Amino acid sequence: MAYELYFCNCIEDSRLLYETDNFIVVYDIDPIQKGHLLIITKQHYGNIREVPESVLYELIRLEQQVADIIETNFDVLGVTVMQNNGLVMDEGTHFHVHIIPRYADDRFWENQAVKQHELPLEQLSRCLAEQLH
């Protein structure tokens, strides 16, 4: 059976590395590094704000297990766990997490050329203090 996902139209069973009740794990089709994995929700959630708490708990546990497998069985420095959210996500995707094997000499962060924008940090601090509970 293939999973019909808005994420990438259709992911064939042969691409599935692992699945849980709410997630599938596959190799990224455009990897940053060999072994770059995606953990993709089976249900369509536009971003992390839509994912139910029970599903988030399952995600964190799955991230922990995948990181442990990579870090225990391969000669890596560790992994980077990344996700995009909201309008910065690629068109045609839905909520997913990247697990990327890392090496001491991989120059991962050197390839980031980010144009800086102002964000009022005092306002952010206030919002965090007032709205996190």
PDB file of all heavy atoms in Angstrom, residues 1 8 17 33 36 43 45 51 57 60 66-67 100-101 104 110 119 122 124 126:
ATOM      1  N   MET A   1       0.844  -1.174   0.000  1.00  0.00           N
ATOM      2  CA  MET A   1       0.000   0.000   0.000  1.00  0.00           C
ATOM      3  C   MET A   1       0.891   1.240   0.000  1.00  0.00           C
ATOM      4  O   MET A   1       1.864   1.297   0.717  1.00  0.00           O
ATOM      5  CB  MET A   1      -0.888   0.006   1.243  1.00  0.00           C
ATOM      6  CG  MET A   1      -1.401   1.373   1.531  1.00  0.00           C
ATOM      7  SD  MET A   1      -2.443   1.722   2.935  1.00  0.00           S
ATOM      8  CE  MET A   1      -2.024   0.647   4.205  1.00  0.00           C
ATOM      9  N   CYS A   8       4.161  14.616  -0.607  1.00  0.00           N
ATOM     10  CA  CYS A   8       4.876  14.322  -1.856  1.00  0.00           C
ATOM     11  C   CYS A   8       4.031  13.432  -2.745  1.00  0.00           C
ATOM     12  O   CYS A   8       4.535  12.536  -3.392  1.00  0.00           O
ATOM     13  CB  CYS A   8       6.235  13.727  -1.586  1.00  0.00           C
ATOM     14  SG  CYS A   8       6.277  12.535  -0.264  1.00  0.00           S
ATOM     15  N   LEU A  17      11.142   3.445   5.552  1.00  0.00           N
ATOM     16  CA  LEU A  17      12.156   2.825   6.398  1.00  0.00           C
ATOM     17  C   LEU A  17      11.545   2.359   7.712  1.00  0.00           C
ATOM     18  O   LEU A  17      11.981   1.370   8.294  1.00  0.00           O
ATOM     19  CB  LEU A  17      13.284   3.821   6.675  1.00  0.00           C
ATOM     20  CG  LEU A  17      14.014   4.336   5.438  1.00  0.00           C
ATOM     21  CD1 LEU A  17      14.942   5.477   5.799  1.00  0.00           C
ATOM     22  CD2 LEU A  17      14.767   3.206   4.761  1.00  0.00           C
ATOM     23  N   GLN A  33      23.128  15.581   3.493  1.00  0.00           N
ATOM     24  CA  GLN A  33      24.203  14.656   3.842  1.00  0.00           C
ATOM     25  C   GLN A  33      23.669  13.240   3.636  1.00  0.00           C
ATOM     26  O   GLN A  33      22.465  13.011   3.787  1.00  0.00           O
ATOM     27  CB  GLN A  33      24.582  14.875   5.322  1.00  0.00           C
ATOM     28  CG  GLN A  33      25.723  14.088   5.863  1.00  0.00           C
ATOM     29  CD  GLN A  33      27.039  14.471   5.246  1.00  0.00           C
ATOM     30  OE1 GLN A  33      27.482  13.791   4.328  1.00  0.00           O
ATOM     31  NE2 GLN A  33      27.664  15.539   5.726  1.00  0.00           N
ATOM     32  N   HIS A  36      20.441  11.537   5.438  1.00  0.00           N
ATOM     33  CA  HIS A  36      19.471  12.581   5.794  1.00  0.00           C
ATOM     34  C   HIS A  36      18.072  11.970   5.725  1.00  0.00           C
ATOM     35  O   HIS A  36      17.634  11.509   4.679  1.00  0.00           O
ATOM     36  CB  HIS A  36      19.641  13.735   4.808  1.00  0.00           C
ATOM     37  CG  HIS A  36      18.694  14.871   5.000  1.00  0.00           C
ATOM     38  ND1 HIS A  36      18.902  16.068   4.358  1.00  0.00           N
ATOM     39  CD2 HIS A  36      17.554  15.037   5.713  1.00  0.00           C
ATOM     40  CE1 HIS A  36      17.928  16.906   4.667  1.00  0.00           C
ATOM     41  NE2 HIS A  36      17.099  16.301   5.490  1.00  0.00           N
ATOM     42  N   GLN A  43      -0.914  12.252   8.819  1.00  0.00           N
ATOM     43  CA  GLN A  43      -2.024  13.172   8.659  1.00  0.00           C
ATOM     44  C   GLN A  43      -1.471  14.516   8.166  1.00  0.00           C
ATOM     45  O   GLN A  43      -0.334  14.856   8.431  1.00  0.00           O
ATOM     46  CB  GLN A  43      -2.747  13.395   9.993  1.00  0.00           C
ATOM     47  CG  GLN A  43      -3.470  12.168  10.513  1.00  0.00           C
ATOM     48  CD  GLN A  43      -2.519  11.156  11.143  1.00  0.00           C
ATOM     49  OE1 GLN A  43      -1.509  11.512  11.713  1.00  0.00           O
ATOM     50  NE2 GLN A  43      -2.849   9.883  11.018  1.00  0.00           N
ATOM     51  N   TYR A  45      -0.877  18.087   8.551  1.00  0.00           N
ATOM     52  CA  TYR A  45      -0.828  19.234   9.451  1.00  0.00           C
ATOM     53  C   TYR A  45      -0.005  20.289   8.735  1.00  0.00           C
ATOM     54  O   TYR A  45       1.093  20.003   8.259  1.00  0.00           O
ATOM     55  CB  TYR A  45      -0.161  18.898  10.786  1.00  0.00           C
ATOM     56  CG  TYR A  45      -0.859  17.787  11.545  1.00  0.00           C
ATOM     57  CD1 TYR A  45      -0.256  16.548  11.701  1.00  0.00           C
ATOM     58  CD2 TYR A  45      -2.120  17.982  12.113  1.00  0.00           C
ATOM     59  CE1 TYR A  45      -0.890  15.533  12.401  1.00  0.00           C
ATOM     60  CE2 TYR A  45      -2.755  16.970  12.808  1.00  0.00           C
ATOM     61  CZ  TYR A  45      -2.134  15.749  12.951  1.00  0.00           C
ATOM     62  OH  TYR A  45      -2.762  14.747  13.644  1.00  0.00           O
ATOM     63  N   VAL A  51      -0.362  20.237  15.240  1.00  0.00           N
ATOM     64  CA  VAL A  51      -0.118  18.847  15.635  1.00  0.00           C
ATOM     65  C   VAL A  51      -0.591  18.640  17.071  1.00  0.00           C
ATOM     66  O   VAL A  51      -0.160  19.352  17.982  1.00  0.00           O
ATOM     67  CB  VAL A  51       1.377  18.486  15.504  1.00  0.00           C
ATOM     68  CG1 VAL A  51       1.620  17.036  15.893  1.00  0.00           C
ATOM     69  CG2 VAL A  51       1.873  18.752  14.078  1.00  0.00           C
ATOM     70  N   TYR A  57       4.299  14.089  21.321  1.00  0.00           N
ATOM     71  CA  TYR A  57       5.032  13.195  22.227  1.00  0.00           C
ATOM     72  C   TYR A  57       5.617  12.014  21.445  1.00  0.00           C
ATOM     73  O   TYR A  57       6.763  11.620  21.649  1.00  0.00           O
ATOM     74  CB  TYR A  57       4.139  12.689  23.351  1.00  0.00           C
ATOM     75  CG  TYR A  57       3.740  13.752  24.345  1.00  0.00           C
ATOM     76  CD1 TYR A  57       2.426  13.867  24.774  1.00  0.00           C
ATOM     77  CD2 TYR A  57       4.676  14.650  24.863  1.00  0.00           C
ATOM     78  CE1 TYR A  57       2.051  14.848  25.679  1.00  0.00           C
ATOM     79  CE2 TYR A  57       4.305  15.627  25.772  1.00  0.00           C
ATOM     80  CZ  TYR A  57       2.996  15.717  26.177  1.00  0.00           C
ATOM     81  OH  TYR A  57       2.625  16.686  27.073  1.00  0.00           O
ATOM     82  N   ILE A  60       8.696  13.279  19.414  1.00  0.00           N
ATOM     83  CA  ILE A  60       9.912  13.467  20.209  1.00  0.00           C
ATOM     84  C   ILE A  60      10.559  12.123  20.515  1.00  0.00           C
ATOM     85  O   ILE A  60      11.780  11.962  20.416  1.00  0.00           O
ATOM     86  CB  ILE A  60       9.601  14.242  21.511  1.00  0.00           C
ATOM     87  CG1 ILE A  60       9.181  15.671  21.187  1.00  0.00           C
ATOM     88  CG2 ILE A  60      10.797  14.220  22.460  1.00  0.00           C
ATOM     89  CD1 ILE A  60      10.239  16.507  20.505  1.00  0.00           C
ATOM     90  N   VAL A  66      15.703   7.633  16.562  1.00  0.00           N
ATOM     91  CA  VAL A  66      16.462   7.737  15.313  1.00  0.00           C
ATOM     92  C   VAL A  66      17.847   8.329  15.582  1.00  0.00           C
ATOM     93  O   VAL A  66      18.856   7.831  15.072  1.00  0.00           O
ATOM     94  CB  VAL A  66      15.684   8.558  14.259  1.00  0.00           C
ATOM     95  CG1 VAL A  66      16.551   8.864  13.050  1.00  0.00           C
ATOM     96  CG2 VAL A  66      14.415   7.815  13.837  1.00  0.00           C
ATOM     97  N   ALA A  67      17.914   9.368  16.399  1.00  0.00           N
ATOM     98  CA  ALA A  67      19.209   9.966  16.754  1.00  0.00           C
ATOM     99  C   ALA A  67      20.101   8.935  17.436  1.00  0.00           C
ATOM    100  O   ALA A  67      21.296   8.822  17.135  1.00  0.00           O
ATOM    101  CB  ALA A  67      19.012  11.178  17.648  1.00  0.00           C
ATOM    102  N   ILE A 100      19.603  14.951  10.324  1.00  0.00           N
ATOM    103  CA  ILE A 100      20.766  15.044   9.437  1.00  0.00           C
ATOM    104  C   ILE A 100      22.018  14.602  10.180  1.00  0.00           C
ATOM    105  O   ILE A 100      22.383  15.213  11.196  1.00  0.00           O
ATOM    106  CB  ILE A 100      20.941  16.483   8.928  1.00  0.00           C
ATOM    107  CG1 ILE A 100      19.650  16.948   8.236  1.00  0.00           C
ATOM    108  CG2 ILE A 100      22.150  16.591   7.991  1.00  0.00           C
ATOM    109  CD1 ILE A 100      19.567  18.440   8.019  1.00  0.00           C
ATOM    110  N   PRO A 101      22.692  13.533   9.704  1.00  0.00           N
ATOM    111  CA  PRO A 101      23.960  13.127  10.323  1.00  0.00           C
ATOM    112  C   PRO A 101      24.983  14.248  10.207  1.00  0.00           C
ATOM    113  O   PRO A 101      25.053  14.933   9.180  1.00  0.00           O
ATOM    114  CB  PRO A 101      24.390  11.912   9.505  1.00  0.00           C
ATOM    115  CG  PRO A 101      23.141  11.411   8.862  1.00  0.00           C
ATOM    116  CD  PRO A 101      22.307  12.636   8.614  1.00  0.00           C
ATOM    117  N   ALA A 104      32.448  16.378  12.192  1.00  0.00           N
ATOM    118  CA  ALA A 104      33.244  17.496  12.693  1.00  0.00           C
ATOM    119  C   ALA A 104      33.658  18.448  11.569  1.00  0.00           C
ATOM    120  O   ALA A 104      33.720  19.643  11.760  1.00  0.00           O
ATOM    121  CB  ALA A 104      34.478  16.984  13.438  1.00  0.00           C
ATOM    122  N   GLU A 110      28.516  26.739   7.798  1.00  0.00           N
ATOM    123  CA  GLU A 110      29.220  27.673   6.923  1.00  0.00           C
ATOM    124  C   GLU A 110      28.454  27.952   5.634  1.00  0.00           C
ATOM    125  O   GLU A 110      28.697  28.950   4.965  1.00  0.00           O
ATOM    126  CB  GLU A 110      30.605  27.125   6.573  1.00  0.00           C
ATOM    127  CG  GLU A 110      31.549  27.091   7.756  1.00  0.00           C
ATOM    128  CD  GLU A 110      32.872  26.442   7.409  1.00  0.00           C
ATOM    129  OE1 GLU A 110      33.234  26.389   6.212  1.00  0.00           O
ATOM    130  OE2 GLU A 110      33.531  25.974   8.343  1.00  0.00           O
ATOM    131  N   LEU A 119      14.003  42.046  14.677  1.00  0.00           N
ATOM    132  CA  LEU A 119      12.896  41.480  15.437  1.00  0.00           C
ATOM    133  C   LEU A 119      12.970  42.126  16.810  1.00  0.00           C
ATOM    134  O   LEU A 119      14.022  42.045  17.463  1.00  0.00           O
ATOM    135  CB  LEU A 119      13.034  39.959  15.559  1.00  0.00           C
ATOM    136  CG  LEU A 119      11.888  39.252  16.262  1.00  0.00           C
ATOM    137  CD1 LEU A 119      10.666  39.173  15.345  1.00  0.00           C
ATOM    138  CD2 LEU A 119      12.293  37.863  16.697  1.00  0.00           C
ATOM    139  N   GLU A 122      12.695  42.837  22.896  1.00  0.00           N
ATOM    140  CA  GLU A 122      11.959  43.145  24.124  1.00  0.00           C
ATOM    141  C   GLU A 122      10.515  42.681  24.010  1.00  0.00           C
ATOM    142  O   GLU A 122       9.951  42.122  24.951  1.00  0.00           O
ATOM    143  CB  GLU A 122      12.032  44.634  24.429  1.00  0.00           C
ATOM    144  CG  GLU A 122      13.398  45.087  24.893  1.00  0.00           C
ATOM    145  CD  GLU A 122      13.450  46.571  25.198  1.00  0.00           C
ATOM    146  OE1 GLU A 122      12.377  47.208  25.350  1.00  0.00           O
ATOM    147  OE2 GLU A 122      14.575  47.096  25.295  1.00  0.00           O
ATOM    148  N   LEU A 124       9.457  40.247  22.053  1.00  0.00           N
ATOM    149  CA  LEU A 124       9.504  38.787  22.073  1.00  0.00           C
ATOM    150  C   LEU A 124       9.616  38.284  23.518  1.00  0.00           C
ATOM    151  O   LEU A 124       8.897  37.375  23.924  1.00  0.00           O
ATOM    152  CB  LEU A 124      10.654  38.265  21.228  1.00  0.00           C
ATOM    153  CG  LEU A 124      10.874  36.749  21.248  1.00  0.00           C
ATOM    154  CD1 LEU A 124       9.633  35.991  20.787  1.00  0.00           C
ATOM    155  CD2 LEU A 124      12.083  36.375  20.397  1.00  0.00           C
ATOM    156  N   ARG A 126       8.650  39.769  26.255  1.00  0.00           N
ATOM    157  CA  ARG A 126       7.369  39.999  26.915  1.00  0.00           C
ATOM    158  C   ARG A 126       6.342  38.937  26.519  1.00  0.00           C
ATOM    159  O   ARG A 126       5.639  38.387  27.355  1.00  0.00           O
ATOM    160  CB  ARG A 126       6.823  41.395  26.580  1.00  0.00           C
ATOM    161  CG  ARG A 126       7.153  42.474  27.565  1.00  0.00           C
ATOM    162  CD  ARG A 126       6.330  43.742  27.372  1.00  0.00           C
ATOM    163  NE  ARG A 126       6.066  44.126  25.991  1.00  0.00           N
ATOM    164  CZ  ARG A 126       6.906  44.801  25.207  1.00  0.00           C
ATOM    165  NH1 ARG A 126       8.077  45.158  25.668  1.00  0.00           N
ATOM    166  NH2 ARG A 126       6.565  45.109  23.986  1.00  0.00           N
TER     167      ARG A 126
END
